[in-house]
Coordinates of all heavy atoms in Angstrom, one line a residue:
N1538 N 28.3 8.0 39.9 CA 28.0 7.8 38.5 C 27.3 6.4 38.2 O 27.2 5.5 39.1 CB 29.5 7.6 37.8 CG 30.4 8.8 38.1 OD1 29.9 9.9 38.2 ND2 31.7 8.5 38.3
S1619 N -6.9 6.6 3.7 CA -6.9 6.1 5.2 C -5.8 6.2 5.8 O -4.7 6.0 5.3 CB -7.4 4.6 5.1 OG -6.4 3.8 4.5
E1714 N -9.8 11.5 -42.0 CA -10.1 10.1 -42.1 C -11.1 10.1 -43.3 O -11.9 10.8 -43.3 CB -10.5 9.5 -40.8 CG -10.7 8.0 -41.0 CD -11.0 7.3 -39.8 OE1 -12.1 7.5 -39.2 OE2 -10.2 6.4 -39.2
A1807 N -31.8 8.6 -24.8 CA -31.1 7.2 -24.3 C -30.3 6.8 -25.3 O -29.3 6.1 -25.1 CB -32.3 6.2 -24.2
A1812 N -26.6 7.7 -33.7 CA -27.3 6.5 -34.0 C -28.1 6.7 -35.2 O -28.6 7.8 -35.7 CB -28.3 6.1 -32.8

Side-chain angles (χ1 to χ4, degrees):
N1538 315 317
S1619 60
E1714 185 173 64

